[in-house]
Coordinates of all heavy atoms in Angstrom, one line a residue:
M1310 N 94.3 59.9 102.3 CA 94.2 60.9 101.2 C 95.6 61.1 100.6 O 96.6 61.2 101.3 CB 93.6 62.2 101.8 CG 92.9 63.0 100.8 SD 91.8 64.2 101.4 CE 93.1 65.3 102.2
K1311 N 95.6 61.1 99.3 CA 96.9 61.1 98.6 C 97.5 62.5 98.6 O 98.7 62.8 98.3 CB 96.8 60.6 97.3 CG 96.6 59.1 97.2 CD 96.6 58.5 95.9 CE 96.7 57.0 96.0 NZ 96.7 56.4 94.7
I1312 N 96.7 63.6 98.9 CA 97.2 65.0 98.8 C 97.2 65.6 100.2 O 96.1 65.4 100.8 CB 96.3 65.8 97.8 CG1 96.6 65.2 96.4 CG2 96.6 67.2 97.9 CD1 95.7 65.7 95.2
R1313 N 98.2 66.3 100.5 CA 98.4 66.9 101.8 C 98.7 68.3 101.7 O 98.9 68.9 100.7 CB 99.6 66.2 102.6 CG 99.4 64.8 102.8 CD 100.3 64.2 103.8 NE 101.7 64.1 103.2 CZ 102.4 62.9 103.0 NH1 101.8 61.9 103.6 NH2 103.5 62.8 102.5
K1314 N 98.6 68.9 102.9 CA 98.9 70.3 103.0 C 100.4 70.6 102.4 O 101.2 69.9 102.8 CB 98.8 70.8 104.5 CG 98.8 72.3 104.5 CD 98.6 72.7 106.0 CE 99.0 74.1 106.2 NZ 99.0 74.5 107.6
G1315 N 100.5 71.6 101.7 CA 101.9 72.1 101.2 C 102.2 71.3 99.8 O 103.2 71.7 99.3
D1316 N 101.3 70.5 99.4 CA 101.6 69.8 98.1 C 101.3 70.8 96.9 O 100.5 71.7 97.0 CB 100.6 68.7 97.9 CG 101.1 67.3 98.7 OD1 102.3 67.4 99.1 OD2 100.3 66.5 98.9
R1317 N 102.1 70.5 95.8 CA 101.8 71.2 94.7 C 100.9 70.5 93.8 O 101.3 69.3 93.5 CB 103.1 71.6 93.9 CG 102.9 72.5 92.7 CD 104.2 73.4 92.5 NE 103.8 74.5 91.6 CZ 103.1 75.5 91.9 NH1 103.0 75.9 93.1 NH2 102.8 76.4 91.0
V1318 N 99.8 70.9 93.4 CA 98.8 70.1 92.6 C 98.3 70.9 91.3 O 98.4 72.1 91.3 CB 97.5 69.8 93.5 CG1 97.9 69.0 94.7 CG2 96.9 71.1 94.0
Q1319 N 97.8 70.1 90.4 CA 97.2 70.7 89.2 C 95.7 70.3 89.2 O 95.3 69.2 89.5 CB 97.8 70.1 87.9 CG 97.3 70.7 86.8 CD 98.1 70.3 85.5 OE1 97.8 69.4 84.8 NE2 99.1 71.0 85.2
V1320 N 94.8 71.1 88.9 CA 93.4 71.0 88.7 C 93.0 70.3 87.4 O 93.5 70.8 86.4 CB 92.7 72.4 88.9 CG1 91.2 72.1 88.9 CG2 93.1 73.0 90.2
L1321 N 92.2 69.3 87.5 CA 91.9 68.6 86.3 C 90.5 69.0 85.7 O 90.2 68.7 84.6 CB 91.9 67.1 86.7 CG 93.1 66.4 87.1 CD1 92.8 65.0 87.5 CD2 94.2 66.5 86.3
S1322 N 89.7 69.6 86.5 CA 88.4 70.0 86.0 C 87.9 71.3 86.5 O 88.6 71.9 87.4 CB 87.4 68.8 86.3 OG 87.3 68.8 87.7
G1323 N 86.8 71.8 85.9 CA 86.2 73.1 86.4 C 87.0 74.3 85.7 O 87.7 74.1 84.8
K1324 N 86.6 75.4 86.2 CA 87.1 76.7 85.5 C 88.6 76.8 85.6 O 89.2 77.6 84.8 CB 86.3 77.8 86.0 CG 86.6 78.2 87.4 CD 85.6 79.4 87.9 CE 85.6 79.6 89.3 NZ 86.6 80.4 90.0
D1325 N 89.3 76.2 86.6 CA 90.7 76.4 86.8 C 91.4 75.2 86.3 O 92.6 75.0 86.6 CB 91.0 76.6 88.3 CG 90.5 77.9 88.8 OD1 90.7 78.9 88.0 OD2 90.2 78.1 90.0
R1326 N 90.8 74.4 85.4 CA 91.4 73.3 84.7 C 92.9 73.6 84.2 O 93.0 74.7 83.5 CB 90.6 72.7 83.7 CG 91.1 71.4 83.1 CD 90.2 70.9 81.9 NE 88.8 71.4 82.3 CZ 87.9 71.4 81.3 NH1 88.2 70.9 80.1 NH2 86.7 71.9 81.6
G1327 N 93.9 72.8 84.5 CA 95.2 73.0 84.1 C 96.1 73.9 84.9 O 97.3 73.9 84.8
K1328 N 95.5 74.6 85.9 CA 96.3 75.5 86.7 C 96.9 74.7 87.8 O 96.4 73.7 88.3 CB 95.4 76.6 87.2 CG 95.0 77.6 86.2 CD 94.2 78.7 86.9 CE 93.5 79.7 85.8 NZ 92.6 80.6 86.5
T1329 N 98.0 75.2 88.2 CA 98.6 74.6 89.5 C 98.6 75.6 90.7 O 98.6 76.8 90.5 CB 100.1 74.1 89.2 OG1 100.8 75.3 88.8 CG2 100.2 73.1 88.1
G1330 N 98.7 74.9 91.8 CA 98.8 75.7 92.9 C 99.3 74.9 94.2 O 99.4 73.7 94.0
T1331 N 99.4 75.6 95.3 CA 99.8 74.8 96.5 C 98.6 74.7 97.5 O 97.8 75.6 97.7 CB 100.9 75.7 97.2 OG1 101.9 75.9 96.3 CG2 101.5 74.9 98.4
V1332 N 98.6 73.5 98.0 CA 97.5 73.2 99.1 C 97.8 74.0 100.4 O 98.9 73.8 100.9 CB 97.4 71.7 99.2 CG1 96.4 71.3 100.4 CG2 97.0 70.9 98.0
T1333 N 96.8 74.7 100.7 CA 97.0 75.4 102.0 C 96.2 74.9 103.2 O 96.4 75.2 104.2 CB 96.6 76.9 101.8 OG1 95.2 76.9 101.3 CG2 97.5 77.7 100.8
F1334 N 95.2 74.0 102.7 CA 94.4 73.4 104.0 C 93.8 72.1 103.4 O 93.5 72.0 102.2 CB 93.3 74.4 104.2 CG 92.9 74.3 105.7 CD1 93.5 75.1 106.8 CD2 91.8 73.5 106.1 CE1 93.1 74.9 108.1 CE2 91.4 73.3 107.4 CZ 92.1 74.0 108.3
A1335 N 93.7 71.2 104.3 CA 93.2 69.9 103.9 C 92.1 69.5 104.8 O 92.1 69.7 106.0 CB 94.3 68.7 103.9
Y1336 N 91.0 68.9 104.2 CA 89.9 68.4 104.9 C 89.8 66.9 104.8 O 89.0 66.5 103.8 CB 88.5 69.0 104.5 CG 88.6 70.5 104.8 CD1 88.8 71.4 103.7 CD2 88.1 71.1 105.9 CE1 88.8 72.7 103.7 CE2 88.0 72.5 106.0 CZ 88.3 73.3 104.9 OH 88.3 74.6 105.0
P1337 N 90.6 66.2 105.4 CA 90.7 64.6 105.0 C 89.3 64.0 105.2 O 89.0 63.1 104.4 CB 91.6 64.0 106.1 CG 92.4 65.2 106.5 CD 91.6 66.4 106.4
A1338 N 88.5 64.4 106.1 CA 87.2 63.8 106.3 C 86.2 63.9 105.1 O 85.4 63.1 104.8 CB 86.6 64.4 107.6
R1339 N 86.4 65.0 104.5 CA 85.6 65.4 103.3 C 86.2 65.0 101.9 O 85.7 65.2 100.9 CB 85.0 66.8 103.3 CG 84.0 67.0 104.3 CD 83.4 68.3 104.1 NE 84.1 69.5 104.6 CZ 83.9 70.8 104.3 NH1 83.2 71.0 103.1 NH2 84.8 71.7 104.7
G1340 N 87.6 64.7 102.0 CA 88.3 64.3 100.9 C 88.5 65.7 100.0 O 88.7 65.6 98.8
K1341 N 88.5 66.9 100.8 CA 88.7 68.1 99.9 C 90.0 68.8 100.5 O 90.3 68.7 101.6 CB 87.4 68.9 100.0 CG 86.3 68.4 99.3 CD 85.1 69.4 99.4 CE 84.1 69.0 98.4 NZ 83.1 69.9 98.4
V1342 N 90.5 69.7 99.7 CA 91.6 70.5 100.0 C 91.4 71.9 99.4 O 90.7 72.0 98.4 CB 93.0 70.0 99.5 CG1 93.3 68.7 100.2 CG2 93.1 69.9 98.0
V1343 N 91.9 72.9 100.1 CA 91.9 74.3 99.5 C 93.3 74.6 98.9 O 94.3 74.2 99.4 CB 91.7 75.3 100.7 CG1 91.8 76.8 100.1 CG2 90.3 75.1 101.4
V1344 N 93.2 74.9 97.6 CA 94.5 75.3 96.9 C 94.6 76.9 96.7 O 93.5 77.5 96.3 CB 94.4 74.7 95.5 CG1 95.8 75.0 94.7 CG2 94.2 73.2 95.6
D1345 N 95.6 77.3 97.1 CA 95.9 78.8 97.0 C 95.6 79.3 95.9 O 96.1 79.0 94.8 CB 97.4 79.0 97.5 CG 97.7 80.4 97.8 OD1 96.7 81.2 98.3 OD2 98.7 81.0 97.5
G1346 N 94.7 80.3 95.8 CA 94.3 81.0 94.6 C 93.6 80.4 93.5 O 93.2 81.0 92.4
L1347 N 93.1 79.1 93.8 CA 92.3 78.4 92.8 C 90.9 78.2 93.3 O 90.7 78.0 94.6 CB 93.0 77.1 92.4 CG 94.4 77.2 91.8 CD1 94.9 75.9 91.4 CD2 94.2 78.1 90.5
N1348 N 89.9 77.9 92.4 CA 88.5 77.7 92.7 C 88.0 78.8 93.6 O 87.4 78.6 94.6 CB 88.4 76.3 93.4 CG 87.0 75.9 93.4 OD1 86.2 76.2 92.5 ND2 86.5 75.2 94.4
V1349 N 88.4 80.0 93.2 CA 88.0 81.2 94.0 C 86.6 81.7 93.7 O 86.2 81.7 92.5 CB 89.0 82.4 93.6 CG1 88.6 83.7 94.1 CG2 90.5 82.1 94.0
A1350 N 85.9 81.9 94.8 CA 84.5 82.3 94.6 C 84.5 83.8 95.2 O 85.2 84.1 96.1 CB 83.6 81.5 95.4
K1351 N 83.6 84.6 94.8 CA 83.3 85.9 95.2 C 82.4 85.7 96.5 O 81.5 85.1 96.4 CB 82.6 86.8 94.3 CG 83.4 86.9 93.0 CD 84.4 88.0 93.1 CE 85.1 88.2 91.8 NZ 86.4 88.7 91.9
K1352 N 83.1 86.2 97.6 CA 82.3 86.1 98.8 C 81.8 87.5 99.2 O 82.6 88.4 99.4 CB 83.2 85.5 99.9 CG 82.4 85.1 101.1 CD 83.4 84.3 102.0 CE 82.9 84.3 103.4 NZ 81.8 83.6 103.7
H1353 N 80.5 87.6 99.4 CA 80.0 88.9 99.8 C 80.0 89.0 101.3 O 79.3 88.3 102.0 CB 78.6 88.9 99.2 CG 78.4 89.0 97.8 ND1 78.3 90.0 97.1 CD2 78.6 88.0 96.9 CE1 78.3 89.8 95.8 NE2 78.6 88.5 95.6
Q1354 N 80.7 90.0 101.7 CA 81.0 90.2 103.2 C 80.1 91.2 103.7 O 80.1 92.4 103.2 CB 82.4 90.5 103.3 CG 82.9 90.5 104.7 CD 83.1 89.1 105.3 OE1 83.7 88.3 104.5 NE2 82.7 88.7 106.4
K1355 N 79.4 90.9 104.6 CA 78.5 92.0 105.3 C 79.5 92.9 106.2 O 80.5 92.4 106.8 CB 77.5 91.4 106.3 CG 76.2 91.0 105.5 CD 75.1 90.9 106.5 CE 73.8 90.4 105.8 NZ 73.3 89.1 106.4
P1356 N 79.2 94.1 106.4 CA 79.9 95.0 107.3 C 79.9 94.4 108.8 O 78.9 93.9 109.2 CB 79.3 96.4 107.2 CG 78.3 96.3 106.0 CD 78.1 94.8 105.8
T1357 N 81.0 94.3 109.3 CA 81.0 93.9 110.7 C 81.5 95.0 111.6 O 82.0 96.0 111.2 CB 81.9 92.7 110.9 OG1 83.3 93.0 110.6 CG2 81.6 91.5 110.0
R1358 N 81.3 94.9 112.9 CA 81.8 95.8 113.8 C 83.3 96.0 113.7 O 83.8 97.1 113.9 CB 81.4 95.4 115.2 CG 80.7 96.5 116.1 CD 80.3 95.9 117.4 NE 79.0 95.3 117.3 CZ 77.9 95.8 117.8 NH1 77.9 97.1 118.3 NH2 76.7 95.2 117.7
A1359 N 84.0 95.0 113.5 CA 85.5 95.0 113.5 C 86.0 95.7 112.3 O 86.9 96.6 112.4 CB 86.0 93.5 113.5
T1360 N 85.4 95.4 111.1 CA 86.0 96.1 109.9 C 85.2 97.3 109.4 O 85.7 98.2 108.8 CB 85.9 95.1 108.7 OG1 84.6 94.8 108.5 CG2 86.7 93.9 108.9
M1361 N 83.9 97.5 109.9 CA 83.1 98.6 109.6 C 82.8 98.8 108.1 O 82.3 99.7 107.6 CB 83.7 100.0 110.0 CG 83.8 100.1 111.5 SD 82.3 100.1 112.3 CE 81.7 101.8 112.1
Q1362 N 83.2 97.7 107.4 CA 83.1 97.8 105.9 C 82.8 96.4 105.3 O 83.3 95.4 105.7 CB 84.5 98.2 105.3 CG 84.2 99.1 104.0 CD 85.4 99.7 103.5 OE1 86.6 99.4 103.9 NE2 85.3 100.6 102.5
G1363 N 81.8 96.4 104.4 CA 81.5 95.1 103.7 C 82.2 95.1 102.4 O 83.0 95.9 102.1
G1364 N 81.8 94.3 101.5 CA 82.3 94.2 100.1 C 82.4 92.7 99.6 O 81.8 91.9 100.3
I1365 N 83.0 92.8 98.5 CA 83.2 91.4 97.8 C 84.6 91.0 98.0 O 85.5 91.7 97.6 CB 82.7 91.5 96.4 CG1 81.2 91.9 96.3 CG2 82.9 90.1 95.8 CD1 80.7 92.3 95.0
Q1366 N 84.8 89.7 98.6 CA 86.2 89.2 98.7 C 86.3 88.0 98.0 O 85.4 87.2 97.7 CB 86.4 89.0 100.1 CG 86.6 90.3 100.9 CD 86.9 89.9 102.4 OE1 86.4 89.0 103.0 NE2 87.7 90.8 103.1
D1367 N 87.5 87.7 97.5 CA 87.8 86.5 96.8 C 88.3 85.5 97.9 O 89.1 85.7 98.7 CB 89.1 86.6 95.9 CG 88.7 87.4 94.7 OD1 87.5 87.5 94.3 OD2 89.5 88.0 94.0
K1368 N 87.6 84.3 97.7 CA 87.9 83.3 98.7 C 88.0 81.9 98.1 O 87.2 81.5 97.2 CB 86.7 83.1 99.7 CG 87.0 82.4 101.0 CD 85.9 82.5 102.0 CE 86.2 81.8 103.3 NZ 86.7 80.5 103.3
A1369 N 89.2 81.2 98.4 CA 89.5 80.0 97.7 C 88.5 78.9 98.3 O 88.6 78.7 99.5 CB 91.0 79.5 97.8
M1370 N 87.8 78.2 97.5 CA 86.9 77.1 98.0 C 87.5 75.8 97.9 O 88.4 75.5 97.0 CB 85.5 77.1 97.2 CG 84.8 78.6 97.3 SD 84.5 79.1 98.9 CE 83.1 78.0 99.3
P1371 N 87.1 74.9 98.8 CA 87.7 73.5 98.7 C 87.4 72.7 97.5 O 86.3 72.9 96.9 CB 87.0 72.8 100.0 CG 86.6 73.8 100.8 CD 86.2 75.0 99.9
I1372 N 88.5 72.0 97.0 CA 88.3 71.2 95.8 C 88.5 69.7 96.1 O 89.3 69.4 97.0 CB 89.4 71.6 94.8 CG1 89.4 73.0 94.4 CG2 89.2 70.7 93.5 CD1 90.6 73.5 93.6
H1373 N 87.6 68.9 95.6 CA 87.7 67.4 95.9 C 89.1 66.9 95.3 O 89.4 67.3 94.2 CB 86.5 66.7 95.4 CG 86.3 65.3 95.9 ND1 86.9 64.2 95.3 CD2 85.8 64.9 97.1 CE1 86.7 63.1 96.1 NE2 86.0 63.6 97.2
V1374 N 89.7 66.1 96.0 CA 91.0 65.6 95.6 C 90.9 64.7 94.2 O 91.9 64.6 93.6 CB 91.7 64.6 96.7 CG1 92.1 65.5 97.9 CG2 90.8 63.5 97.1
S1375 N 89.7 64.2 94.0 CA 89.6 63.5 92.7 C 89.7 64.4 91.4 O 89.9 63.9 90.4 CB 88.2 62.6 92.6 OG 87.2 63.6 92.5
N1376 N 89.6 65.7 91.7 CA 89.8 66.6 90.6 C 91.1 67.2 90.7 O 91.4 68.2 89.8 CB 88.8 67.8 90.8 CG 87.4 67.3 90.6 OD1 87.1 66.5 89.8 ND2 86.4 67.9 91.5
L1377 N 92.1 66.7 91.3 CA 93.4 67.2 91.5 C 94.5 66.1 91.2 O 94.2 64.9 91.4 CB 93.7 67.7 92.9 CG 92.9 68.9 93.3 CD1 93.1 69.1 94.8 CD2 93.1 70.1 92.6
M1378 N 95.6 66.5 90.7 CA 96.8 65.6 90.5 C 97.9 66.2 91.2 O 98.2 67.4 91.1 CB 96.9 65.5 89.0 CG 96.9 64.0 88.6 SD 97.1 63.9 86.9 CE 97.5 62.1 86.8
L1379 N 98.7 65.3 91.8 CA 99.9 65.8 92.5 C 101.0 66.2 91.4 O 101.0 65.4 90.5 CB 100.5 64.7 93.4 CG 101.4 65.2 94.5 CD1 100.9 66.2 95.3 CD2 101.8 63.9 95.3
V1380 N 101.7 67.2 91.6 CA 102.7 67.6 90.7 C 104.1 67.1 91.2 O 104.6 67.5 92.2 CB 102.8 69.0 90.5 CG1 103.8 69.6 89.5 CG2 101.4 69.5 89.8
C1381 N 104.8 66.4 90.3 CA 106.2 65.9 90.6 C 107.1 67.0 90.0 O 106.8 67.5 88.9 CB 106.4 64.6 89.9 SG 108.1 64.1 89.9
G1382 N 108.1 67.3 90.7 CA 109.1 68.4 90.3 C 109.7 68.1 89.0 O 110.2 69.1 88.3
K1383 N 109.8 66.8 88.6 CA 110.4 66.4 87.3 C 109.5 66.1 86.2 O 109.8 66.5 85.0 CB 111.1 65.2 87.7 CG 112.4 65.0 86.9 CD 113.4 64.1 87.6 CE 113.5 62.7 87.0 NZ 114.3 61.8 87.7
D1384 N 108.3 65.5 86.5 CA 107.4 65.0 85.5 C 106.2 65.8 85.3 O 105.4 65.7 84.4 CB 107.0 63.6 85.8 CG 108.2 62.7 86.0 OD1 109.1 62.7 85.2 OD2 108.2 62.1 87.1
G1385 N 105.9 66.7 86.2 CA 104.6 67.5 86.2 C 103.6 66.7 86.9 O 103.9 65.9 87.8
P1386 N 102.3 66.8 86.5 CA 101.2 66.1 87.2 C 101.4 64.5 86.9 O 101.5 64.1 85.8 CB 99.9 66.6 86.4 CG 100.4 67.5 85.3 CD 101.9 67.7 85.3
V1387 N 101.4 63.8 88.0 CA 101.6 62.4 88.0 C 100.6 61.7 89.0 O 100.0 62.2 89.8 CB 103.1 62.0 88.4 CG1 104.1 62.5 87.4 CG2 103.3 62.6 89.8
K1388 N 100.5 60.3 88.7 CA 99.9 59.5 89.7 C 100.8 59.1 90.8 O 101.9 59.1 90.6 CB 99.4 58.2 89.0 CG 98.2 58.4 88.1 CD 97.6 57.1 87.6 CE 96.3 57.4 86.9 NZ 95.8 56.2 86.2
V1389 N 100.1 59.0 92.0 CA 100.9 58.7 93.2 C 100.8 57.2 93.5 O 99.7 56.6 93.4 CB 100.3 59.5 94.3 CG1 101.2 59.2 95.7 CG2 100.2 60.9 94.0
G1390 N 102.0 56.6 93.8 CA 102.0 55.3 94.4 C 102.7 55.3 95.7 O 103.0 56.4 96.3
Y1391 N 102.7 54.2 96.3 CA 103.2 54.1 97.6 C 104.3 53.1 97.7 O 104.3 52.1 97.0 CB 102.1 53.7 98.7 CG 101.1 54.8 99.0 CD1 99.8 54.8 98.3 CD2 101.5 55.8 99.9 CE1 99.0 55.7 98.7 CE2 100.7 56.8 100.1 CZ 99.3 56.8 99.5 OH 98.5 57.8 99.8
R1392 N 105.3 53.3 98.6 CA 106.4 52.4 98.8 C 106.5 52.3 100.2 O 106.6 53.2 100.9 CB 107.7 53.1 98.2 CG 108.9 52.1 98.2 CD 110.0 52.8 97.5 NE 110.5 54.0 98.2 CZ 111.1 54.0 99.3 NH1 111.5 53.0 99.9 NH2 111.5 55.2 99.9
I1393 N 106.6 51.0 100.7 CA 106.8 50.8 102.2 C 108.3 50.4 102.3 O 108.8 49.6 101.7 CB 106.0 49.5 102.5 CG1 104.6 49.5 102.0 CG2 106.0 49.4 104.1 CD1 103.6 50.3 102.7
D1394 N 108.9 51.2 103.2 CA 110.3 51.0 103.5 C 110.6 49.9 104.5 O 109.5 49.4 105.1 CB 111.0 52.2 103.9 CG 110.7 52.8 105.3 OD1 110.1 52.0 106.0 OD2 111.0 53.9 105.6
P1395 N 111.7 49.4 104.7 CA 112.0 48.2 105.6 C 111.4 48.5 107.0 O 111.2 47.5 107.8 CB 113.5 48.1 105.7 CG 114.0 48.7 104.3 CD 112.9 49.9 104.0
N1396 N 111.4 49.7 107.4 CA 110.8 50.1 108.8 C 109.3 50.0 108.8 O 108.7 50.2 109.9 CB 111.3 51.5 109.2 CG 112.8 51.6 109.2 OD1 113.5 50.7 109.5 ND2 113.2 52.7 108.8
G1397 N 108.7 49.7 107.7 CA 107.2 49.7 107.7 C 106.6 51.0 107.4 O 105.4 51.2 107.5
E1398 N 107.4 52.0 107.1 CA 106.8 53.4 106.9 C 106.4 53.5 105.5 O 107.1 53.0 104.6 CB 107.9 54.5 107.2 CG 108.0 54.8 108.7 CD 109.0 55.9 109.0 OE1 108.9 57.0 108.3 OE2 109.9 55.6 109.7
K1399 N 105.4 54.2 105.3 CA 104.8 54.4 103.9 C 105.3 55.7 103.4 O 105.2 56.7 104.0 CB 103.2 54.5 104.2 CG 102.5 53.8 103.1 CD 101.1 53.6 103.6 CE 100.1 53.6 102.5 NZ 98.7 53.6 103.0
H1400 N 105.8 55.6 102.1 CA 106.1 56.9 101.4 C 105.5 57.0 100.2 O 105.1 56.1 99.5 CB 107.7 56.8 101.2 CG 108.5 56.8 102.4 ND1 108.7 58.0 103.1 CD2 109.1 55.7 103.0 CE1 109.5 57.6 104.2 NE2 109.7 56.3 104.1
R1401 N 105.1 58.2 99.9 CA 104.4 58.5 98.6 C 105.6 58.7 97.5 O 106.5 59.2 97.6 CB 103.7 59.8 98.6 CG 102.4 59.7 99.5 CD 101.6 61.1 99.4 NE 102.5 62.2 99.4 CZ 102.1 63.4 99.3 NH1 100.9 63.7 99.1 NH2 102.9 64.4 99.4
V1402 N 105.3 58.0 96.4 CA 106.3 58.1 95.3 C 105.6 58.6 94.0 O 104.4 58.2 93.8 CB 107.0 56.8 95.1 CG1 107.9 56.5 96.3 CG2 106.1 55.6 94.8
C1403 N 106.4 59.2 93.2 CA 105.9 59.4 91.8 C 105.9 58.1 91.0 O 106.8 57.4 90.9 CB 106.8 60.4 91.2 SG 106.6 60.6 89.4
R1404 N 104.7 57.7 90.2 CA 104.7 56.6 89.6 C 105.5 56.6 88.2 O 105.7 55.6 87.6 CB 103.3 56.2 89.2 CG 102.5 55.9 90.4 CD 101.9 54.4 90.2 NE 100.8 54.2 91.0 CZ 99.5 54.1 90.6 NH1 99.3 54.1 89.3 NH2 98.5 53.9 91.4
K1405 N 105.9 57.9 87.9 CA 106.7 58.0 86.6 C 108.2 57.7 86.9 O 108.9 56.8 86.3 CB 106.5 59.3 86.0 CG 105.7 59.2 84.7 CD 105.5 60.5 84.0 CE 104.3 60.6 83.1 NZ 104.0 61.9 82.7
C1406 N 108.8 58.7 87.8 CA 110.3 58.6 88.0 C 110.6 57.8 89.3 O 111.7 57.5 89.6 CB 110.9 59.9 88.0 SG 110.3 61.0 89.3
G1407 N 109.6 57.5 90.2 CA 109.9 56.8 91.4 C 110.4 57.6 92.5 O 110.7 57.1 93.6
A1408 N 110.6 59.0 92.3 CA 111.0 59.9 93.3 C 110.0 59.9 94.5 O 108.8 59.8 94.2 CB 111.4 61.2 92.8
E1409 N 110.5 60.1 95.7 CA 109.6 60.4 96.8 C 108.9 61.8 96.7 O 109.6 62.7 96.3 CB 110.3 60.3 98.1 CG 110.0 59.0 98.9 CD 110.8 58.9 100.2 OE1 110.7 59.8 101.0 OE2 111.5 57.8 100.3
L1410 N 107.7 61.8 96.9 CA 106.9 63.1 97.0 C 106.6 63.5 98.3 O 106.5 62.9 99.2 CB 105.7 62.9 96.1 CG 106.0 62.6 94.7 CD1 104.6 62.2 94.1 CD2 106.5 63.7 94.0
Ligands
ZN1939 ZN1 108.4 62.2 88.9

């Protein structure tokens, strides 16, 4: 997956199109990530013994990575490429400025 936890991303579709946020959780198996404060759904919470109170809470729902673009600090949203260094390690790079992401 090209997007990881801690990445800054921009949303390409849906109601949060154009907004940016930070990835707080990744589900590589499903190709989805949770972005802080984006794709928020109202979650109706039943009262539990612990809280004694129910109500409606905002909860960020996972977004498929195909709807996201990684944000480069210099160029904004960019496509991601890979560069293999002499040690055989793979690094993600910005396809516009070539900086490591
Ligand atoms: Zn860049």
Side-chain angles (χ1 to χ4, degrees):
M1310 212 162 60
K1311 288 187 172 179
I1312 290 170
R1313 294 194 285 242
K1314 188 177 168 183
D1316 284 346
R1317 189 145 190 87
V1318 294
Q1319 185 173 93
V1320 182
L1321 302 178
S1322 64
K1324 68 184 162 85
D1325 287 324
R1326 187 180 333 166
K1328 290 186 190 170
T1329 59
T1331 304
V1332 175
T1333 54
F1334 209 88
Y1336 303 94
R1339 287 196 277 157
K1341 288 184 169 185
V1342 297
V1343 174
V1344 183
D1345 192 34
L1347 297 184
N1348 198 29
V1349 168
K1351 300 280 179 201
K1352 195 171 157 70
H1353 295 255
Q1354 191 78 45
K1355 277 205 185 119
T1357 62
R1358 229 177 274 261
T1360 60
M1361 297 295 283
Q1362 214 176 8
I1365 301 167
Q1366 286 180 331
D1367 289 337
K1368 193 171 189 305
M1370 301 305 285
I1372 306 172
H1373 197 263
V1374 290
S1375 66
N1376 295 322
L1377 298 173
M1378 238 178 161
L1379 198 59
V1380 174
C1381 167
K1383 216 157 98 185
D1384 308 305
V1387 291
K1388 284 194 176 168
V1389 181
Y1391 286 103
R1392 186 175 60 75
I1393 315 276
D1394 73 12
N1396 305 322
E1398 274 179 58
K1399 218 165 154 188
H1400 296 279
R1401 292 186 312 177
V1402 294
C1403 167
R1404 286 241 206 112
K1405 252 186 203 164
C1406 68
E1409 253 179 52
L1410 297 169

